[in-house]
Amino acid sequence: MMTERTEISNSPEAGATATIVNRIRDEILHRQRFLLTSHARPDGDSIGSQLAMAYALESLGKQVRLVNADAAPEHYFEFPGVDRIEIAPRTGWVADALIVMECSDLTRTGVAGLDGHFIINIDHHAGNRMYGAINWFDESAAACGEMVFDIIQALGVPLSPEIATHIYLAILTDTGSFHHSNITPRTFEICRQAVEARLNPTIMARRVYDSNSFGKLKLIGALLDEMQLVDGGRLAVLRMDDAVLAACGCTQNDTEGIINLPLTAREIQAVVFFKMSANGDVRVSMRSKYDVDVRLVASEFGGAGHKNAAGFTVAGKLEDVQPRIVDRLVKAVDEGLETRPAE
Ligand code: 5GP
Ligand code: MN
C-alpha cells in the first residue's frame, strides 16, 4: 500500500514539524504490524530510538519486530528489550510498515529484503536519500531519539521507564554525553521529562561509560601509546589492527568510544581512527571539535555522518590511504580553526 510521498527535511519550522509528526502518527495508528530497523554496527542512538519506538507501539497494542544487521555493543545488552532485537542479514517478514531510523539510505541497514514495505524514514544525518513513503529528516535534532520522542508524544503514549531509558540512552550517547553540537533547550526538556519519569542519569552514565572490561582499559593504553600527533598536535591519529585487539583480549565492540579520548586534550581539534579489517578494507572514524567539519571529509570519501562525528570505509592498504586522508583532515582542521568560537 503506497501513499503519496511526504518529505520534510533539514531544520523545519515548528508548523512543518507538527504536520509530519501528525502524518506519521496517523499512519502508525491505522496499521498493526511493524518492523523496526536501524543501521549496521548500531550505536546508542540506533538502539535507543528503535526500542523506545517499539515499547510505545506495543503499549498501543501493535505487533512489533526489530531486526538489525549487527548486535548491539555489549554494554547495551542489559538495557530492556535489547535481547529482542533479531540479528539477521535479511528478513522475509513483511509488516504493515517498516520504520527505519538513523539511515541515510536502505543499504545502511545492512539488512536485505526490506524493499517493498511502506517505509517511514526518520533520520537526522545530512544526505538522507528520502527513500520512504514518509520521510522525516531533521539535521537539527541532537539525536534520532529526539524525533522518536516527538512521535511518541503525538501518539499520546506516556513515558514508561523503558521508553524514558531508551530516549535518554539515544540522547546521552549521540551527544557524546552532552559534548557535541546540536544540543538545544529541547534536548534538556526531553531529558527533564525522562528524569520526571524516574530515569536515573547516574545509573545511565555508569552503565554506558563505566562498564569497560580490563581488556578494554589495556586496549586504550595500547592505542594511546601509539597515537601520532600531526599538524602541531591539532590532529590525533589512532590505528588498530586485529593483533592489538587479540593481545588485549578484546573484540571490535570494545573499540567503541575510544576515538573520543584524544579530544580530551585541549590542543587536539580532531581525531581519526583507522581500523584495519580482516577483508583488507580500512574503516575510518573521525571526531572533531567546534567547526572542524569531518562530515565534509567523509562525504568526499563516500561516507557520511555529522559535522563532529563521521566515518567511511575505504579499500586499500592503510599505508597507501592514510596520507591522503590525514592531509585532507589537516585542511579541515585549519579551516575549522578560522571559525572557532571563543571559549
Ligand atoms: P562512527 O565513527 O561511530 O562509525 O560513525 C560516526 C557517525 O558517522 C555516525 O553518525 C554514523 O552514522 C556516520 N557514519 C560512519 N560511517 C558511515 C558510513 O560509512 N556511511 C554513512 N552513511 N554514515 C557513516
Ligand atoms: Mn544518531
Side-chain angles (χ1 to χ4, degrees), residues 208-227:
V208 173
Y209 297 108
D210 300 342
S211 53
N212 290 335
S213 61
F214 291 127
K216 178 157 179 177
L217 284 187
K218 279 173 65 181
L219 181 65
I220 290 169
L223 294 178
L224 292 184
D225 212 34
E226 294 292 316
M227 180 173 78

Side-chain angles (χ1 to χ4, degrees), residues 19 127 216 329:
T19 307
K216 178 157 179 177
L329 273 166

Side-chain angles (χ1 to χ4, degrees), residues 39 41 43 102 104 108 125 174 259 283-287 302-306 309-313:
H39 57 76
R41 291 178 292 102
D43 58 14
E102 285 264 281
S104 37
R108 260 303 267 162
H125 294 92
D174 238 37
I259 187 173
R283 168 92 209 129
V284 185
S285 284
M286 299 170 293
R287 297 290 183 274
H306 308 283
F312 60 95
T313 300

Side-chain angles (χ1 to χ4, degrees), residues 308-337:
N308 295 137
F312 60 95
T313 300
V314 64
K317 284 218 192 80
L318 181 58
E319 289 68 34
D320 300 333
V321 298
Q322 178 172 331
R324 256 188 317 136
I325 297 166
V326 168
D327 285 352
R328 180 62 189 87
L329 273 166
V330 167
K331 191 166 158 256
V333 167
D334 293 345
E335 282 167 3
L337 285 182

